[in-house]
Amino acid sequence: MSTLASPPAAAPSSTAPWTRVSDALRAAPGTKVTVKGWVRTRRDSKAEGGMSFIALHDGSCFDTIQIVAKGDLGNYAAEIARLCTGCSIECDGTIVTNPKGGAEVAAGAADGGAVRVIGWVDDPDKYPIQPKAHSFEYLREVAHLRVRTNTFGAVARVRHCLAMAIHRFFDERGFCWVHTPIITASDCEGAGQMFRVSTLDLLRPLARLQGTGESEEAKKVRAECAAKPGMPPWTYGQVDFSSDFFGKEAHLTVSGQLNVETYACALSNVYTFGPTFRAENSNTARHLAEFWMIEPEMAFCDLAWDADIAEAMLKHCIKAVFEERGDDLRFFDERIEKGLIDRLKHVLESPFKRITYTQAIEILEEAVRSGKKKFEFPVKWGTDLQSEHERYLTEEHFMLPVILTNYPKQIKAFYMRLDEGCAPGRETVSAMDILVPKIGEIIGGSQREERLEKLDQRIDEMGLDKNAYWWYRDLRRYGTVPHAGFGLGFERLILFVTGMQNIRDVIPFPRAPKQAEF
RNA sequence: UCCUCCAUAGCUCAAUGGUAGAGCGACCGGCUGUUAACCGGUAGGUUCUAGGUUCGAGUCCUAGUGGAGGAGCCA
């Protein structure tokens, strides 16, 4: 079983012509190095003719390296003694062992050492990142500088580690990374509100023209627009998208799933890993308007294997962070979520609990009946589980990640495979959600409906337009195969692994309602 | 979008309707192989915006803007 990497964390050696801090911390005493980075703190001492202790970080690992700048350096009084948090410097020096046994860089004129200032901080009093505790809410307002803090540096490294671990996981298993489109002109995705992509001139007063009859004013504006060169033609109450860039309505993608299914039906095992956009006005610690999603899709695959892969992938990711980012993980465990490491070890060591939706309802009903738990919302077969229900299952009842399967068809998407042998009125589909403590739903997936007549039936039932899905339906007409896949919210995975509370703090520049600065 | 709460120094927060304060940070000095350093001092304010009530508003009222927590939507 994987254990936490012991300090210093393993980091790939840099190819830079200077020494990265992660490498300097492990270098043998006596090694001559040049390090570059940003000052986190400076402390001075008058001992031994004066010296300054500078904590330097360069992002290569969690720890800073301490530079001991001796008073005999030519620029000591004029520059080194004036260094403050945020200044960028480079330092030539020698690796020595400090009284506490750690590596540090000694830089004195006698040994040919030097500290050169690369960039000063304008006004130290106004520098937004002071050497003190800051709230995450405040740091969100200075997102261009927050990555210089302990926490956001650690999040950035863990995010990278997880991204690479995911690619490795699929690559090692013969999956092909497919770049599904960001812009989609099919209006059939149906996974939520979409952002419009258009080159039409929005400054035209379309809003004034809406209504039931065409007013004199509307007629006038239309005539004006028609007369102006470059103005797109339009019909009353409706935009004429045939004159738009793509000749039809276009949006930012809400999922690459439908596209990636086409590749699964040729390459067998594929996945997407890219940005996803939802224009929902949701204001929570678990939603973003722009986020990254991983969507594997496997041909000749059923729901059970789908769940196997999802569980293996999550465990692989946790393991990778244990092995590669022990330094950052220890910080999260101490300062962000006490007990994080034990929680993750527990997840790593236990098989995920697998139950059907129907069994989940029975557990919830029993909890209510026995008085063990009170819910705000009623538990009833056929309705979607509320947050509180999901949290009870994963946090209180099982205290483990839970894979819920076989949901009632009416609460799931049209493309999910209809289960066979269901009692009338109790039809279910081969859907699967993975719930984890603290986050709730982290993965949603399903076996897809590969039978054309059943798929058509579902499209009709849900009042969708069959023609809009012509190429999706083609997959069922030309060599159809059972296939399955799932979607993993990348930022939710990062929350789960780091113990961070707010999804806006695990993506570099969060986009959410009323939030697109930077 | 709904419910609840919040907005005061660079940051985190105090201040009964009656002279706007502390801690941290910054700056200056002292001490020190220091490392969440420590000790002393200094500077720092249009109390989110726009109205209103009042002799008087940081405090009460209305609207707006932004933020937090919860819910819905979902990943």
Side-chain angles (χ1 to χ4, degrees):
Chain A
M1 191 48 62
S2 181
T3 53
L4 202 58
S6 51
S13 283
S14 163
T15 54
W18 64 90
T19 306
R20 297 296 299 273
V21 169
S22 58
D23 292 331
L25 285 168
R26 287 176 294 160
T31 311
K32 297 275 186 196
V33 294
T34 298
V35 291
K36 306 186 187 210
W38 293 264
V39 174
R40 189 156 275 152
T41 60
R42 191 200 86 234
R43 289 172 297 274
D44 304 318
S45 173
K46 292 258 161 44
E48 300 172 34
M51 62 177 102
S52 290
F53 302 98
I54 300 164
L56 192 78
H57 69 99
D58 72 350
S60 57
C61 57
F62 180 81
D63 292 312
T64 55
I65 195 163
Q66 177 160 281
I67 293 170
V68 184
K70 301 282 168 61
D72 64 354
L73 291 168
N75 62 341
Y76 184 79
E79 296 195 321
I80 294 169
R82 286 175 48 222
L83 285 172
C84 60
T85 306
C87 290
S88 51
I89 61 170
E90 59 185 357
C91 171
D92 305 329
T94 309
I95 298 291
V96 296
T97 304
N98 67 23
K100 289 196 173 172
E104 63 181 24
V105 180
D111 309 319
V115 174
R116 290 177 293 275
V117 180
I118 299 173
W120 290 101
V121 164
D122 267 0
D123 180 354
D125 192 32
K126 296 285 157 59
Y127 181 59
I129 309 296
Q130 295 159 347
K132 66 180 291 280
H134 288 292
S135 68
F136 292 146
E137 291 82 5
Y138 166 71
L139 289 170
R140 252 169 250 156
E141 294 168 11
V142 286
H144 58 311
L145 297 171
R146 67 176 180 171
V147 70
R148 300 181 181 198
T149 64
N150 279 338
T151 304
F152 287 88
V155 167
R157 280 183 298 272
V158 168
R159 186 180 171 109
H160 168 78
C161 170
L162 286 169
M164 299 313 288
I166 286 165
H167 282 304
R168 223 180 302 123
F169 176 85
F170 288 120
D171 185 48
E172 285 166 359
R173 285 160 182 77
F175 282 63
C176 197
W177 181 18
V178 178
H179 303 108
T180 50
I182 307 284
I183 297 173
T184 173
S186 62
D187 57 358
C188 56
E189 304 212 12
Q193 287 291 110
M194 302 169 89
F195 287 103
R196 184 180 303 291
V197 175
S198 174
T199 54
L200 294 176
D201 184 1
L202 280 176
L203 298 180
R204 281 188 313 139
L206 285 172
R208 285 160 59 193
L209 305 178
Q210 287 168 358
T212 43
E214 188 167 42
S215 65
E216 286 308 307
E217 190 196 8
K219 281 178 186 159
K220 202 176 133 208
V221 174
R222 179 158 72 163
E224 282 170 11
C225 288
K228 278 188 197 168
M231 280 294 191
W234 52 277
T235 53
Y236 176 69
Q238 197 181 353
V239 177
D240 177 11
F241 287 106
S242 70
S243 65
D244 203 348
F245 188 90
F246 296 105
K248 60 203 298 198
E249 239 184 311
H251 299 92
L252 294 179
T253 184
V254 292
S255 164
Q257 183 203 312
L258 266 44
N259 287 104
V260 89
E261 278 188 47
T262 67
Y263 268 59
C265 293
L267 303 180
S268 299
N269 290 340
V270 297
Y271 71 106
T272 72
F273 190 160
T276 307
F277 308 87
R278 304 268 167 97
E280 257 113 35
N281 190 10
S282 43
N283 213 311
T284 79
R286 298 180 186 13
H287 290 84
L288 288 167
E290 177 183 294
F291 63 100
W292 288 63
M293 191 153 65
I294 295 100
E295 295 174 292
E297 192 72 31
M298 292 79 71
F300 314 106
C301 176
D302 64 9
L303 189 66
W305 189 29
D306 195 30
D308 288 347
I309 289 173
E311 179 173 345
M313 183 196 64
L314 288 177
K315 287 180 172 172
H316 173 90
C317 286
I318 294 170
K319 219 179 207 169
V321 176
F322 270 83
E323 284 165 3
E324 296 164 31
R325 291 266 58 106
D327 58 343
D328 295 318
L329 208 48
R330 265 188 297 277
F331 167 77
F332 290 123
D333 187 61
E334 282 164 24
R335 294 299 182 89
I336 303 296
E337 183 195 329
K338 298 255 186 258
L340 170 73
I341 288 172
D342 287 342
R343 194 193 89 206
L344 292 176
K345 274 188 178 158
H346 180 55
V347 169
L348 211 47
E349 288 160 7
S350 324
F352 291 7
K353 196 71 200 172
R354 301 190 191 200
I355 56 171
T356 64
Y357 166 90
T358 302
Q359 289 169 317
I361 293 289
E362 283 162 10
I363 290 169
L364 292 167
E365 282 174 340
E366 175 55 30
V368 172
R369 198 180 315 123
S370 66
K372 208 189 295 177
K373 189 75 189 174
K374 279 199 170 64
F375 294 116
E376 188 186 339
F377 293 94
V379 177
K380 186 168 178 286
W381 199 97
T383 62
D384 216 351
L385 296 179
Q386 301 289 322
S387 274
E388 55 174 351
H389 303 146
E390 297 182 344
R391 292 182 68 123
Y392 173 78
L393 290 170
T394 184
E395 290 175 7
E396 295 181 50
H397 188 79
F398 291 116
M399 292 184 288
L400 265 180
V402 178
I403 306 181
L404 286 182
T405 60
N406 308 92
Y407 282 78
K409 69 167 185 178
Q410 61 267 29
I411 59 172
K412 287 293 182 183
F414 75 92
Y415 51 74
M416 297 188 179
R417 191 178 196 275
L418 204 61
D419 290 326
E420 280 155 44
C422 296
R426 283 230 160 186
E427 286 93 355
T428 58
V429 292
S430 292
M432 146 195 104
D433 281 0
I434 300 188
L435 314 176
V436 296
K438 300 214 157 224
I439 312 294
E441 183 180 343
I442 197 170
I443 281 179
S446 68
Q447 184 174 344
R448 322 304 188 189
E449 183 56 81
E450 86 282 11
R451 300 158 297 188
L452 183 62
E453 64 288 0
K454 302 264 190 203
L455 182 70
D456 283 348
Q457 198 183 319
R458 291 278 284 148
I459 289 174
D460 289 341
E461 275 174 18
M462 300 186 90
L464 300 170
D465 177 14
K466 225 178 282 180
N467 295 324
Y469 298 93
W470 68 272
W471 55 263
Y472 190 72
R473 293 174 67 248
D474 268 4
L475 297 178
R476 279 72 182 167
R477 298 169 61 204
Y478 307 132
T480 192
V481 292
H483 60 291
F486 62 84
L488 165 72
F490 187 48
E491 285 76 16
R492 287 187 181 177
L493 175 65
I494 302 171
L495 288 178
F496 183 63
V497 170
T498 60
M500 293 290 287
Q501 300 279 319
N502 196 309
I503 201 163
R504 295 172 195 201
D505 297 329
V506 297
I507 189 166
F509 300 104
R511 271 83 179 96
K514 304 271 156 41
Q515 196 168 49
E517 192 72 43
F518 305 103

